[in-house]
Amino acid sequence: MSKNAEFIDKLRSSGLRPTKQRLKICEVLFNRDKTFHFTINDLSKIISDKLGEKISLATVYNTVHAFKNKGYLKEISINSDKSYFDTNISNHHHFYDQDTNELIDCDNELIGNVNIKKNITGKKINSVEVLIKVASDNQNQN
Amino acid sequence: MSKNAEFIDKLRSSGLRPTKQRLKICEVLFNRDKTFHFTINDLSKIISDKLGEKISLATVYNTVHAFKNKGYLKEISINSDKSYFDTNISNHHHFYDQDTNELIDCDNELIGNVNIKKNITGKKINSVEVLIKVASDNQNQN
DNA sequence: CAACAGTTTAGAATAATTATAATGTATTGT
DNA sequence: ACAATACATTATAATTATTCTAAACTGTTG
Ligand SMILES: [Mn+2]
Ligand SMILES: [Mn+2]
Ligand SMILES: [Zn+2]
Ligand SMILES: [Zn+2]
């Protein structure tokens, strides 16, 4: 399947028609090898600065949220002021570089099974995620 | 040491003078047995509704942030729209109830040591936190 | 073509947080 | 105690991220 057909498929299955704005967003998000961790602002900047296109913020928000709801993107909360999205939708963990504010993937197999010796009655576990905050040695914490 | 003396100490060591507004905030935060997970809004509501006092939002923000910077409170990010604070300042983990939006402590000893088989060169680990999202069985994820 | 459903967009509205500046209160030196 | 100074509180404004709205636009269908 061509990249473009993939994008159209992703959009259709998210309940969205494949318009040129949405396809442009797909290119930025899904046409890459490695995980992409981004904020809406990052994404918007890439589209306007690097690609010279202009897509309204509302469309970016709508499209990203549709992908998130469908499961093509994950949302990650590290701190209150920014919301990150992640193109790696597998179960995985993160390093968070407090110096650069960057997220780095940490695949599941790089973390021994998390052994949870407690359970909440009547509730089932939906996800288990580990966040490892790192910084240069002479640095402040968060 | 009396509770009040403790509060005064906490305030002084956070670089704040013990005023009546700040002592009131201390009472709500630190005069309890169990962990208190709260948003600024929660705290503010407790002060105004339950205690019938009126402390300006700015003072609440300033005081909570001073305590956080001094390490008497921790900040926890679960989702983009709310920022939680935590009176439990030990290293520990959390369950997050997606039905009620409540945080539940999970002490370190209830989670087997997290075995991290990867390291970021030049960076040291500042914290390792596990977030376990739970919900009733017939529920949507996040 | 005409009607319709869905889309994009600019701009307005909301909500959390932070900044400002005036007023109030406590502390210190004399 | 008095004046000078330093620190606090407060209302309000500003900022920022996000969501909402309503008008203009586009593509599809009969
Ligand atoms: Mn913050
Ligand atoms: Mn959200
Ligand atoms: Zn990731
Ligand atoms: Zn806690």
Side-chain angles (χ1 to χ4, degrees), chain A residues 21-142:
Chain A
Q21 290 88 344
R22 287 168 180 166
L23 284 167
K24 184 60 66 181
I25 291 172
C26 283
E27 274 175 42
V28 177
L29 293 184
F30 303 124
N31 198 16
R32 51 177 79 227
D33 300 325
K34 294 191 181 130
T35 295
F36 181 35
H37 296 114
F38 64 97
T39 64
I40 295 280
N41 193 51
D42 294 336
L43 176 52
S44 190
K45 265 212 164 53
I46 289 174
I47 292 167
S48 66
D49 292 359
K50 292 195 188 167
L51 305 185
E53 312 258 343
K54 185 178 66 178
I55 300 179
S56 99
L57 251 195
T59 298
V60 179
Y61 271 100
N62 290 342
T63 306
V64 166
H65 279 143
F67 283 146
K68 178 200 154 186
N69 291 334
K70 181 62 183 182
Y72 292 139
L73 291 174
K74 292 178 76 173
E75 190 171 6
I76 301 172
S77 292
I78 274 78
N79 63 41
S80 35
D81 29 328
K82 306 183 178 192
S83 186
Y84 289 82
F85 292 87
D86 190 338
T87 56
N88 180 350
I89 57 177
S90 73
N91 291 325
H92 66 289
H93 311 290
H94 290 99
F95 291 91
Y96 179 66
D97 187 328
Q98 297 179 302
D99 302 324
T100 62
N101 287 354
E102 270 177 317
L103 279 169
I104 300 158
D105 272 354
C106 182
D107 285 341
N108 255 9
E109 55 272 20
L110 292 175
I111 295 215
N113 244 16
V114 179
N115 178 17
I116 303 164
K117 298 164 185 148
K118 179 184 183 180
N119 69 327
I120 312 290
T121 36
K123 306 278 176 177
K124 78 162 201 299
I125 291 176
N126 277 332
S127 70
V128 177
E129 292 188 6
V130 180
L131 179 64
I132 304 155
K133 291 185 180 168
V134 301
S136 316
D137 276 315
N138 45 351
Q139 216 66 25
N140 61 319
Q141 291 174 229
N142 190 340

Side-chain angles (χ1 to χ4, degrees), chain A residues 118 120 123, chain B residues 35 37 86 92-97 100-107 130-132 134:
Chain A
K118 179 184 183 180
I120 312 290
K123 306 278 176 177
Chain B
T35 295
H37 296 116
D86 189 340
H92 67 288
H93 310 289
H94 291 99
F95 291 92
Y96 180 66
D97 187 329
T100 63
N101 286 354
E102 270 176 319
L103 279 168
I104 301 158
D105 272 355
C106 182
D107 286 340
V130 180
L131 179 64
I132 304 155
V134 302

Side-chain angles (χ1 to χ4, degrees), chain B residues 15 24 68 113:
Chain B
K24 185 60 67 181
K68 179 200 152 186
N113 245 15

